[in-house]
Amino acid sequence: MTGGRRRSETSRLAILDAARDLLLEGGYEQLTIDAIAGRAGVGKQTIYRWWGSKGAVVADAALEGGLAQPLTPLPDTGDIETDLRRWLRAWTEHLTTAQGTGLILALTAATADDHTVADVLFERFTQPHEQLLRDRLERARGAGQLASDAPVPTIASVLIGSLLYRVLTRQAPPTVDDADLVVRLVLGGAG
Amino acid sequence: MTGGRRRSETSRLAILDAARDLLLEGGYEQLTIDAIAGRAGVGKQTIYRWWGSKGAVVADAALEGGLAQPLTPLPDTGDIETDLRRWLRAWTEHLTTAQGTGLILALTAATADDHTVADVLFERFTQPHEQLLRDRLERARGAGQLASDAPVPTIASVLIGSLLYRVLTRQAPPTVDDADLVVRLVLGGAG
Amino acid sequence: MTGGRRRSETSRLAILDAARDLLLEGGYEQLTIDAIAGRAGVGKQTIYRWWGSKGAVVADAALEGGLAQPLTPLPDTGDIETDLRRWLRAWTEHLTTAQGTGLILALTAATADDHTVADVLFERFTQPHEQLLRDRLERARGAGQLASDAPVPTIASVLIGSLLYRVLTRQAPPTVDDADLVVRLVLGGAG
Amino acid sequence: MTGGRRRSETSRLAILDAARDLLLEGGYEQLTIDAIAGRAGVGKQTIYRWWGSKGAVVADAALEGGLAQPLTPLPDTGDIETDLRRWLRAWTEHLTTAQGTGLILALTAATADDHTVADVLFERFTQPHEQLLRDRLERARGAGQLASDAPVPTIASVLIGSLLYRVLTRQAPPTVDDADLVVRLVLGGAG
DNA sequence: CGATAAACGAGACGGTACGTCACGTCTTCAT
DNA sequence: ATGAAGACGTGACGTACCGTCTCGTTTATCG
C-alpha cells in the first residue's frame, strides 16, 4: 500500500488563509466550515479529512497563519523591569487592535468549547509564550534582580492572566499604563 | 384590557433549573434551547419571551440558579494577607470541582461568543465580585496595610486573572499553594 | 397535548407542485430534495417531516399533482371490445407524450428503488386503475361477452403489463394499432 | 508506439463479480462505484477507464456475471401451448427467488434511470429473449397452431409484460398457475 | 537487455446532495 | 394574555459518493 495522491499544500494553505480572513472579518461565531471551504475553493471533506473541528482549524490558522504575535524571545536589556514592561506593552497594544482582540476571543471560545483544541493551543501557543517569559525571569533571578525564592511560574501566569482578564471582560481594552502598573505590582508588591 | 395571565414563576424557575442541569451535564456547546424547553416542560416561546438568547438564559441560570460561588463579602480579620488567602483559596477550591470548572468554561464560552452576554455577566457577576475584593483592599490601604499608592483595581484584576488563566489552560487545576504564592507575590513583589 | 401549529396546506401543495415541475423538466435523476425545497420556498425538514424519501414525494406528486391519468371509470358502451380499445388507446396516447413517459419511468424507478414507495403506489395508483378495468371486465362477463370462466385478473394484468413493457424498453412508444392488437389478442386469442 | 501494460482480466472479472454481489445484496440504489472498487480490490480509475457509468457496469455484470436466466432456445415439443407454458413457468420460478426478483428490480431501476443503460440492456438482454420467443411462435404459426394473422410481436410483448407487471407491483410473486392462465388467455382469448 | 509507457491500487481532490439539528418565529388550542 | 405544543423557513452541520487527478508500482513491448 504505497500509492495515493499526496496532501495538497495549496489547499492546506488556502484553508488556513480563508479561516484567518473570515475570523478577522466576522469573528468566531460567523465562522463556518462552509464559508471556509467556499472561500478557500475547497471541498468540505478536505477540511474534515485533516482537522477534527472548527476549533482545530482556527487553532492552526492562529499558529501558522501569522495571526498570533510572533514568538520572539523577550529583549534582555539587563533590566528586568524594562523588559517586562516592553513585553507586556507589546501584548497590550496587540490586544488593542480589533484583530488582536478578535483572535484571542476566538481562541478562548475554541478553548472553552473543546478540550482537544485547548490542549493543542496550550502546547503550541500558550506554553511557548509562557516559556519565553519564564526564561527571562530566570535570568533576572540569576542576576540578582529578583529574589532568590521568586516564584517564576506564578509571576508568568499572573502577567498573562491579567491580560486575559482584560480581554475577556470586554470592557475597556487594557492600556499601556495598565501594563506598567501590573509590572510594578508584580515586581514591587503592594505591601 | 386589564387582565391577562401573569408570568409563571414556576416556568421561570423550571427553565433556569433545566439550563443549569444541562450546562453541568454537557457544557455550553451541548446546551440547546430545545433541550431546555423540553427538560423544563415549557414551550420555546416562553423562553424567547423573557430572554433574548441562549447566552442570556445561561447567564441568568449562573446567577440565580445557585451555580456561582455566593456573593459574600470578604472576611475582615484585620490582616489583609490572611483575608486574600482565604478568598483566593475558596475560589481555587471551587474551581477544583468539575462543576466549578465546567461553569467557568461555559460562562467563558458564552462571553467570548456573545457581546451582550459578556456585558450582562460582567455587570452582574464579574464586577460585583471584583468590587468586594476592591472594598477589602481599600480598607486595607486605609489601615496602612497597603502602600498609599497601591493600585487597587490592578491588584484585583491580577488576582482574578491568575485564576482565569489556570482554568482556561485546562492543564492542572490550581492548588491552595498556588493561591498562597499569588497572594504573597501581589503583596510582597518579586523584586 | 392539544396545541401545536397545524400542517401548512400551502407548503404541502408548493412541495408537490415543485416536485411535479422539476420532474417534468429534468426527470427523476435530476430531481433532488434540495431543488424541491428551493423551488417550493420551503425548508428541507418540512419535506422530511411528512415524506420519508424522494420516491414518496414523487408518488404523492403523481397522485395529487395531477400528473397521472385521471381515475375515471371505463366507458360502458355495452361492447367490451370497444371499451377496452378506448381505455388502452387513451393510455397509449398518454404514454406517447414526454410527460407521460417521464412520469411512468420516474414512478417505476421509485418503485424499483424503494419497497415502501412501491406499496403506496400500488395501493393508490396501480390497484385502483386495475380495479376499474376489472369492474368493466366483470360486467362484460355478466353480460355474456366474455367466457364464464374468463380469468379477469389475468386479463387486467396482461393489458397493463403490455403497456409497461413498451415504456420500459424505451424503444418506440406504443401506437394506437398496438393497442388494438393487444385487445384483439386478449379477447380472441391467437390459436 | 512502444508497449504498455495490457488490460487486466483479473480486475475486469473482479469488478463484475463485485458489482453483481453488491447488486444482489443491496439493490441498484445502494450500489456505488466506491463500493465496487473496494470490494473488487481495484482503483476507481480502473472502473472509469473501461466503463462510462455505474449503469454500464451493472449492465455488463448482469450480462456477463451469469445473473440472468441463460439464453437458451425454447423447447420445441411440437405443441406451442406446452412450450410456452414451460418457458413462462421457468421465468416465473426464476422470479420467485430473491435473486431473480432483485436482479429484475435492479435492472429496471437502471433502465428507468439511464437511457444508455436501457439501450444496452434492451439490445443484449431483452431483445434476444424476445427473439427466442418470437422464433418459436413463428414456427407454431407455420405449423398451423396459431392463426395465420396472429400478431407474433404482440404475443411476445404481452407474455413478457405480464411477468414484468407482477414483479414491479411487488405484491405476491407470480405463481405457476398464473403462468398457465396467461398462456391460455393469449392462445385462446377471453371472448 | 534496458528504456518506455500504459494500466494498475491507492487515495486526495473540488463538488453536489444528502438527511439531521438547532435556531428563532409563527400558529393553534387550552388555561 | 400567557403557556405548552409543535410546524415553519433558514442555514450549518458532518457524511457519502461522484468523477477527476496525482502518486508510486507493476507489467508488457520495443529498440
Side-chain angles (χ1 to χ4, degrees):
Chain A
M1 78 178 270
T2 46
R5 194 179 182 171
R6 304 298 186 208
R7 177 173 184 180
S8 162
E9 183 67 6
T10 307
S11 295
R12 202 189 119 256
L13 292 177
I15 290 164
L16 295 178
D17 283 359
R20 183 199 56 208
D21 293 351
L22 290 166
L23 190 64
L24 295 178
E25 282 172 17
Y28 189 67
E29 334 159 43
Q30 264 78 354
L31 189 63
T32 68
I33 295 285
D34 280 314
I36 296 174
R39 166 88 66 123
V42 137
K44 281 201 288 178
Q45 197 59 53
T46 299
I47 299 179
Y48 285 111
R49 198 172 355 251
W50 303 109
W51 290 275
S53 68
K54 190 171 70 172
V57 180
V58 170
D60 239 17
L63 295 168
E64 298 209 24
L67 268 182
Q69 178 98 322
L71 191 69
T72 49
L74 274 72
D76 189 344
T77 62
D79 180 41
I80 185 64
E81 182 164 6
T82 303
D83 293 350
L84 286 184
R85 270 190 176 151
R86 243 178 233 182
W87 180 85
L88 199 54
R89 281 181 175 198
W91 270 106
T92 296
E93 276 157 15
H94 185 54
L95 296 180
T96 303
T97 65
Q99 173 171 328
T101 304
L103 174 66
I104 293 297
L105 286 175
L107 296 185
T108 301
T111 291
D113 253 19
D114 184 339
H115 205 137
T116 67
V117 175
D119 290 344
V120 169
L121 280 176
F122 180 74
E123 194 180 317
R124 296 177 51 199
F125 180 73
T126 316
Q127 181 114 269
H129 279 99
E130 186 178 333
Q131 191 57 52
L132 290 178
L133 202 48
R134 289 192 187 186
D135 291 345
R136 181 65 191 85
L137 288 166
E138 285 294 354
R139 235 174 303 124
R141 196 159 60 119
Q145 294 188 343
L146 294 182
S148 61
D149 64 344
V152 165
T154 301
I155 300 172
S157 69
V158 158
L159 288 169
I160 299 175
S162 71
L163 277 171
L164 202 53
Y165 179 67
R166 288 303 200 114
V167 174
L168 279 182
T169 54
R170 282 164 163 255
Q171 300 304 115
T175 67
V176 169
D177 287 347
D178 291 327
D180 291 351
L181 280 174
V182 168
V183 170
R184 229 186 78 201
L185 176 67
V186 161
L187 292 182
Chain B
M1 308 225 173
T2 55
R5 198 170 169 177
R6 301 293 181 235
R7 177 172 184 181
S8 161
E9 183 66 6
T10 308
S11 295
R12 201 187 122 260
L13 292 177
I15 289 165
L16 294 178
D17 283 358
R20 183 199 56 208
D21 293 350
L22 290 167
L23 193 63
L24 293 177
E25 283 172 18
Y28 187 67
E29 351 156 35
Q30 267 76 354
L31 189 64
T32 68
I33 293 287
D34 282 303
I36 296 173
R39 166 91 65 128
V42 138
K44 285 202 288 177
Q45 196 58 246
T46 301
I47 298 179
Y48 284 108
R49 208 181 334 260
W50 304 108
W51 289 274
S53 68
K54 187 172 74 173
V57 180
V58 170
D60 240 18
L63 295 166
E64 298 208 23
L67 271 182
Q69 179 98 321
L71 191 69
T72 50
L74 274 71
D76 189 346
T77 61
D79 181 42
I80 184 63
E81 181 164 5
T82 302
D83 293 350
L84 286 183
R85 270 190 177 151
R86 243 179 235 183
W87 179 86
L88 200 55
R89 282 182 176 197
W91 269 106
T92 296
E93 276 157 15
H94 185 53
L95 295 180
T96 302
T97 64
Q99 175 170 326
T101 304
L103 173 66
I104 293 296
L105 286 174
L107 296 184
T108 302
T111 291
D113 246 24
D114 185 340
H115 205 137
T116 67
V117 176
D119 291 345
V120 169
L121 280 176
F122 179 74
E123 194 180 317
R124 296 178 51 201
F125 179 73
T126 317
Q127 192 157 64
H129 279 98
E130 186 179 333
Q131 192 58 51
L132 290 178
L133 202 47
R134 289 191 188 187
D135 290 346
R136 181 64 190 85
L137 288 167
E138 285 295 355
R139 235 173 302 125
R141 194 159 60 118
Q145 294 187 343
L146 295 181
S148 60
D149 64 346
V152 165
T154 301
I155 300 172
S157 70
V158 158
L159 288 170
I160 299 175
S162 71
L163 277 172
L164 201 52
Y165 179 68
R166 289 305 200 113
V167 175
L168 278 182
T169 55
R170 283 164 162 255
Q171 301 304 114
T175 66
V176 169
D177 286 348
D178 291 326
D180 290 352
L181 280 173
V182 169
V183 170
R184 227 188 79 201
L185 177 68
V186 160
L187 292 182
Chain C
M1 213 146 298
T2 45
R5 195 177 181 171
R6 296 315 161 93
R7 176 173 185 179
S8 162
E9 184 67 6
T10 308
S11 295
R12 201 189 121 258
L13 292 176
I15 289 165
L16 294 178
D17 283 358
R20 183 199 56 208
D21 293 351
L22 291 167
L23 190 63
L24 294 178
E25 283 171 18
Y28 188 66
E29 334 159 42
Q30 264 77 355
L31 190 63
T32 67
I33 295 286
D34 280 315
I36 296 173
R39 167 88 66 126
V42 137
K44 281 201 287 180
Q45 198 60 54
T46 300
I47 298 180
Y48 285 111
R49 194 168 4 247
W50 303 109
W51 291 275
S53 67
K54 189 171 71 172
V57 180
V58 170
D60 239 16
L63 295 167
E64 297 209 23
L67 269 183
Q69 177 99 320
L71 191 69
T72 49
L74 275 72
D76 188 345
T77 62
D79 179 44
I80 185 65
E81 182 164 6
T82 303
D83 293 348
L84 287 183
R85 271 191 174 148
R86 242 179 234 184
W87 179 86
L88 199 55
R89 283 181 175 198
W91 269 107
T92 296
E93 275 156 16
H94 185 54
L95 295 180
T96 302
T97 64
Q99 173 170 329
T101 304
L103 173 66
I104 294 296
L105 287 174
L107 296 185
T108 302
T111 290
D113 255 17
D114 185 339
H115 205 138
T116 66
V117 175
D119 290 344
V120 169
L121 279 176
F122 180 74
E123 194 179 317
R124 296 177 51 200
F125 180 75
T126 316
Q127 192 157 68
H129 279 99
E130 186 178 334
Q131 191 58 51
L132 290 178
L133 202 47
R134 289 192 188 187
D135 290 346
R136 181 65 190 85
L137 288 167
E138 285 296 354
R139 235 172 304 125
R141 197 159 60 119
Q145 294 188 341
L146 295 181
S148 60
D149 63 346
V152 165
T154 301
I155 300 171
S157 69
V158 158
L159 289 169
I160 299 175
S162 71
L163 277 171
L164 201 53
Y165 179 69
R166 288 305 200 113
V167 174
L168 279 181
T169 54
R170 283 166 161 252
Q171 300 305 115
T175 66
V176 169
D177 286 347
D178 291 327
D180 291 351
L181 280 174
V182 169
V183 170
R184 227 187 79 200
L185 177 68
V186 160
L187 292 182
Chain D
M1 277 289 156
T2 57
R5 196 174 175 175
R6 300 304 181 209
R7 178 173 184 180
S8 162
E9 183 67 7
T10 308
S11 294
R12 200 187 122 259
L13 293 176
I15 289 165
L16 294 178
D17 283 358
R20 182 199 57 206
D21 293 351
L22 290 166
L23 195 62
L24 293 177
E25 283 170 18
Y28 185 68
E29 174 90 333
Q30 267 74 357
L31 189 64
T32 68
I33 293 287
D34 282 301
I36 296 173
R39 165 90 66 128
V42 137
K44 284 202 290 177
Q45 196 59 248
T46 300
I47 299 178
Y48 284 110
R49 205 181 338 261
W50 304 108
W51 291 275
S53 68
K54 187 172 74 171
V57 180
V58 168
D60 241 17
L63 296 166
E64 297 207 25
L67 268 183
Q69 178 99 322
L71 191 69
T72 50
L74 273 73
D76 189 344
T77 61
D79 181 42
I80 185 63
E81 181 163 7
T82 303
D83 293 349
L84 287 183
R85 271 190 176 152
R86 244 178 234 183
W87 180 86
L88 200 54
R89 283 182 174 195
W91 270 106
T92 297
E93 275 157 14
H94 184 54
L95 295 180
T96 303
T97 65
Q99 176 169 327
T101 304
L103 173 67
I104 294 295
L105 287 174
L107 295 184
T108 302
T111 291
D113 244 26
D114 185 340
H115 205 138
T116 68
V117 177
D119 291 344
V120 170
L121 281 176
F122 179 74
E123 193 181 316
R124 297 176 51 199
F125 179 74
T126 316
Q127 181 115 269
H129 278 99
E130 186 178 333
Q131 191 58 50
L132 291 178
L133 201 48
R134 288 192 189 186
D135 290 345
R136 181 67 189 86
L137 287 167
E138 284 296 354
R139 236 174 301 126
R141 194 158 62 118
Q145 294 187 343
L146 295 181
S148 60
D149 64 345
V152 165
T154 301
I155 299 172
S157 70
V158 158
L159 288 170
I160 299 175
S162 72
L163 276 172
L164 203 53
Y165 179 68
R166 287 305 199 114
V167 174
L168 278 182
T169 54
R170 283 162 161 258
Q171 300 304 114
T175 66
V176 169
D177 286 349
D178 291 325
D180 291 352
L181 281 174
V182 169
V183 170
R184 227 185 79 202
L185 176 68
V186 161
L187 293 182

